[in-house]
């Protein structure tokens, strides 16, 4: 029996009320580990510890916060190969993809190590003679972070690092499906010298302990990434408790391919955006909106590349596409494949593979229209609709005709169309001749409409969420 990995509360590793089995989605007989489930009392203890530790952390020299975060980044980078293997085993993305994610997490900690020293303010001339106005930023207190399974180290990193840099204390609840990377992150923050109680990890189910974080009055703010359905529940809970809230949710991201696109580049961008990381990226290209003149050549070339994708154990070097994260997610994807067929699409691929593990062939839904349910609802698997349009205006309309607004892309050789798309796309992130997924770690990340609520994550703008503004007036007399 393997040892039970524990929750991290008040600087101590603590047992829980039950155990979650963390299994490899490519080989369900591979038990990665047993992870302690936190009960309500453990969550309560974590919030108490955070509330106690936060004032000293906020009052400490910013250099101390900077050093802890930079050291955490260095440790992540030094251990990246080993953490990437763990990530691949628990989430199922390929080893190079996992290595990219872990590297990004390391760089994020290093970046916010610098930001801890750059937290500035503003001096404003007062309209009253002899008066001075100062605008400063202060930490919020204790923040609750609730994260999904698809980026099990990068998302905990991009929430924890700015929260800690600003002087907050953190209680992190990772997805129950992928606790291992968050557990490693807690160990690394402990090793990096994070004081007891400043960073706490509670593992377990969202409906039980995630909601306990949302309901607790000692939590000043919640930053959440996950589905729109849970995001709405959290938004309501935060409104009730008058908490600051930041939600990053789903997408139905369009990639437009115009007649004048470089065909090879467009096929590469769409293959990557739609299917890499098994389509389990909130920025995945799930609607390929293709102009009629290039449509048939594009589909022929993309289908040849799709059919040649190598599926398999993501630890193997030749594998391009790993498994779907869980049996439940695979069944949901297969339901969407059936729906697309019922709606009249010509479906290529999409079947479950006859082998152990949660494997599904990537799918193209040809002859799709933008009003089909399969073109409107987020699937979160390796499935992309191909929607034929007559011209740029129709493509832009279809791209924007969605409840979501996270990422969008266009492949074109025309500066005029690229510029118009950048200006008129109703998305938080716009890509020209690049996949809709794949972003830098040091610039703002987030969307519009049902994809995001609240201020941006990542880059210097991330500090906006984790701080409160104070305006002070002084009169020297
Ligand atoms: P979920 O919304 O199911 O879960 C996200 C987190 O919320 C998990 O930790 C979950 O815990 C927790 N949770 C569930 N119910 C509650 C509740 N009632 N109160 C508080 N917390 C709760 O999302 P998934 O994990 O399935 O992730 C996939 C989704 O995430 C997709 O929609 C995807 O688009 C989105 N996503 C968005 C990104 C973005 O930046 N826009 C980036 C990555 C993913 P538990 O796991 O224990 O249920």
């Amino acid at each position: 029996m393997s040892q039970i990995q524990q929750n991290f509360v008040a600087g101590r590793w603590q047992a829980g009320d039950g155990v979650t089995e963390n299994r490899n989605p490519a080989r369900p007989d591979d038990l990665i580990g047993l992870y302690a489930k936190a009960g309500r009392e453990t969550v309560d203890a974590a919030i108490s510890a955070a509330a106690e530790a936060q004032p000293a952390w906020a009052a400490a020299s910013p250099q101390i916060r900077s050093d802890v975060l930079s050291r955490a980044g260095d440790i992540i980078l030094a251990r990246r190969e080993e953490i990437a293997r763990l990530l691949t085993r628990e989430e199922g993305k390929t080893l190079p993809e996992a290595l990219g994610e872990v590297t990004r997490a390391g760089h994020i900690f290093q970046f916010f190590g610098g930001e801890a020293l750059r937290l500035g303010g503003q001096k404003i001339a007062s309209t009253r003679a002899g008066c001075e106005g100062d605008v400063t930023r202060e930490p919020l207190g204790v923040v609750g972070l609730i994260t999904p399974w698809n980026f099990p180290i990068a998302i905990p990193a991009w929430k924890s690092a700015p929260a800690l840099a600003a002087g907050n204390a953190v209680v992190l609840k990772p997805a129950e499906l992928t606790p291992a990377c968050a557990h490693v992150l807690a160990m690394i923050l402990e090793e990096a010298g994070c004081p007891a109680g400043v960073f706490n990890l509670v593992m377990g189910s969202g409906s039980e302990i995630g909601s306990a974080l949302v309901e607790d009055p000692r939590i000043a703010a919640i930053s959440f990434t996950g589905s729109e359905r849970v995001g709405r529940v959290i938004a309501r809970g935060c409104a009730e408790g008058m908490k600051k809230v930041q939600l990053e949710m789903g997408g139905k991201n369009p990639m437009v391919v115009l007649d004048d696109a470089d065909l090879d580049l467009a096929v590469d961008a769409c293959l990557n955006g739609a299917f890499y990381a098994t389509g389990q990226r909130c920025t995945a290209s799930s609607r390929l909106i293709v102009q009629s003149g290039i449509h048939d050549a594009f589909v022929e070339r993309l289908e040849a590349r799709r059919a040649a994708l190598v599926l398999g154990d993501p630890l193997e070097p030749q594998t391009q596409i790993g498994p779907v994260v869980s049996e439940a997610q695979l069944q949901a994807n297969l339901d969407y494949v059936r729906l697309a067929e019922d709606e009249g699409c010509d479906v290529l691929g999409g079947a479950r593979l006859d082998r152990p593990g949660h494997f599904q062939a990537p799918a193209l839904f040809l002859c799709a229209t933008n009003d089909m349910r399969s073109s409107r609802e987020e699937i979160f698997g390796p499935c992309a609709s191909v929607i034929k349009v007559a011209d740029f205006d129709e493509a832009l309309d279809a791209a924007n005709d969605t409840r979501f607004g996270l990422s969008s892309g266009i492949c074109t050789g025309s500066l005029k169309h690229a510029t118009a798309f950048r200006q008129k796309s109703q998305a938080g992130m716009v890509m020209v001749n690049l996949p809709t997924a794949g972003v830098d770690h040091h610039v703002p990340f987030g969307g519009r409409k049902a994809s995001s609520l609240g201020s941006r994550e990542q880059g210097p703008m991330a500090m906006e969420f984790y701080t409160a503004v104070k305006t002070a007036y002084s009169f020297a007399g």
Side-chain angles (χ1 to χ4, degrees), residues 299-313:
V299 166
E300 189 183 337
R301 190 117 23 129
L302 182 63
E303 168 53 11
R305 296 281 302 279
R306 182 205 67 79
L309 284 169
V310 179
L311 274 70
D313 188 327

Side-chain angles (χ1 to χ4, degrees), residues 147 149-150 173 176 204 206 224-227 249-250 282 378 380 445:
T147 57
W149 47 262
N150 68 331
K173 195 221 84 72
E176 202 171 10
F224 163 85
T225 299
S227 63
M249 299 167 289
C282 47
E378 183 184 48
F380 218 58
F445 178 97

Side-chain angles (χ1 to χ4, degrees), residues 145-151 155 158-159 173-178 204-212 214 224-231 233-234 247-251 280-283 329 378 380 406 429 445-447 451-452 457-458:
L145 310 179
I146 302 176
T147 57
W149 47 262
N150 68 331
F151 284 93
I155 296 179
W158 82 51
K159 292 186 190 298
K173 195 221 84 72
E176 202 171 10
L177 268 177
T178 55
S205 110
S207 53
E208 259 176 66
I209 62 165
S211 57
V214 175
F224 163 85
T225 299
S227 63
E228 185 194 349
R229 183 187 63 78
V230 175
V233 172
I234 288 177
L247 308 175
E248 287 298 344
M249 299 167 289
Q280 299 176 145
R281 292 183 287 188
C282 47
T283 47
Q329 183 68 50
E378 183 184 48
F380 218 58
L406 187 57
M429 296 172 290
F445 178 97
S451 291
S452 298
E457 300 206 85
Q458 302 190 52

Side-chain angles (χ1 to χ4, degrees), residues 1 27 47 64 67 92 101 109 124 138 174 181 193 195 215 217 240 279 285 292 305 346 370 400 417 450 469:
M1 196 62 171
R27 293 197 291 116
I47 299 171
I64 290 178
D67 289 347
E101 180 180 339
F109 271 97
I124 300 184
E138 296 178 356
C181 286
E215 286 159 18
E240 187 63 36
S285 317
S292 49
R305 296 281 302 279
D346 186 4
N370 202 45
N400 285 337
H417 286 141
V469 170

Side-chain angles (χ1 to χ4, degrees), residues 15 22-23 52 62 66 100 127 132 152 186 304 321 323 398 412 434 437 462:
N22 187 5
R23 290 192 177 271
E52 200 172 314
S66 174
T127 53
E132 284 180 322
I321 308 288
T412 178
L434 287 166

Side-chain angles (χ1 to χ4, degrees), residues 161-467:
L164 296 171
N168 299 287
V170 163
V171 182
L172 167 66
K173 195 221 84 72
E176 202 171 10
L177 268 177
T178 55
C181 286
H183 187 266
V184 165
L185 181 60
M187 288 196 287
I188 287 174
L189 280 164
E190 181 185 29
E191 184 185 342
C194 194
V198 167
F199 179 89
N200 303 274
L201 173 74
V202 290
M203 299 177 288
S205 110
S207 53
E208 259 176 66
I209 62 165
S211 57
L213 289 178
V214 175
E215 286 159 18
D216 196 294
R218 294 167 296 172
I219 297 269
I222 295 282
S223 178
F224 163 85
T225 299
S227 63
E228 185 194 349
R229 183 187 63 78
V230 175
R232 282 183 191 281
V233 172
I234 288 177
R236 275 197 291 273
C238 288
E240 187 63 36
M242 292 290 181
K243 287 184 188 3
K244 199 170 180 183
V245 65
Q246 178 180 54
L247 308 175
E248 287 298 344
M249 299 167 289
K252 195 72 184 173
N253 308 294
M255 170 56 100
V256 169
V257 179
L258 294 185
D259 284 352
D260 62 10
D262 176 324
L263 187 55
D264 288 334
L265 186 151
V267 168
D268 276 347
C270 291
L271 194 81
N272 174 325
F275 301 135
Y276 285 12
T278 323
Q280 299 176 145
R281 292 183 287 188
C282 47
T283 47
S285 317
S286 43
R287 292 182 298 140
L288 310 179
I289 299 170
V290 187
Q291 200 175 355
S292 49
I294 201 172
H295 177 273
D296 293 357
F298 169 82
V299 166
E300 189 183 337
R301 190 117 23 129
L302 182 63
E303 168 53 11
R305 296 281 302 279
R306 182 205 67 79
L309 284 169
V310 179
L311 274 70
D313 188 327
L315 288 172
E316 298 294 334
Q318 73 278 9
T319 297
Q320 291 173 288
I321 308 288
V324 171
V325 73
S326 67
E327 185 59 32
Q329 183 68 50
L330 175 57
Q331 289 304 328
N333 297 351
L334 295 173
D335 285 347
Y336 273 108
V337 170
R338 278 188 288 273
L339 173 70
E341 280 166 350
D342 291 346
E343 289 181 308
C345 292
D346 186 4
V347 175
L348 303 174
R352 179 181 200 141
L353 265 54
D354 184 18
R355 56 172 289 169
H358 318 302
F359 286 93
Q360 177 186 19
L364 285 173
F365 302 164
L366 302 184
C367 311
T369 56
N370 202 45
D371 56 356
M372 292 174 172
R373 265 185 61 206
S374 53
S375 300
R376 302 198 80 76
E377 296 173 14
E378 183 184 48
I379 301 175
F380 218 58
C383 305
S385 304
V386 181
I387 299 165
K388 196 198 278 194
V389 291
D391 54 25
F392 172 77
D393 290 338
E394 198 186 329
L396 179 66
D397 285 349
N400 285 337
D401 180 16
T402 165
R403 298 170 49 251
F404 297 105
L406 187 57
S407 180
S408 70
I410 187 166
C411 290
T412 178
S414 152
L415 178 62
K416 180 177 158 197
H417 286 141
T419 306
F421 189 80
R422 258 193 8 239
Q423 291 170 347
K424 294 179 182 162
S425 173
Q426 295 165 4
M429 296 172 290
V430 184
M431 314 291 179
V432 175
N433 292 323
L434 287 166
T436 56
V439 295
D440 291 353
H441 73 273
H442 64 300
V443 293
F445 178 97
R448 299 182 186 177
K449 302 199 250 182
S451 291
S452 298
L453 186 77
S455 49
R456 286 287 182 263
E457 300 206 85
Q458 302 190 52
M461 273 191 196
M463 301 305 265
E464 169 70 32
F465 180 72
Y466 293 103
T467 53

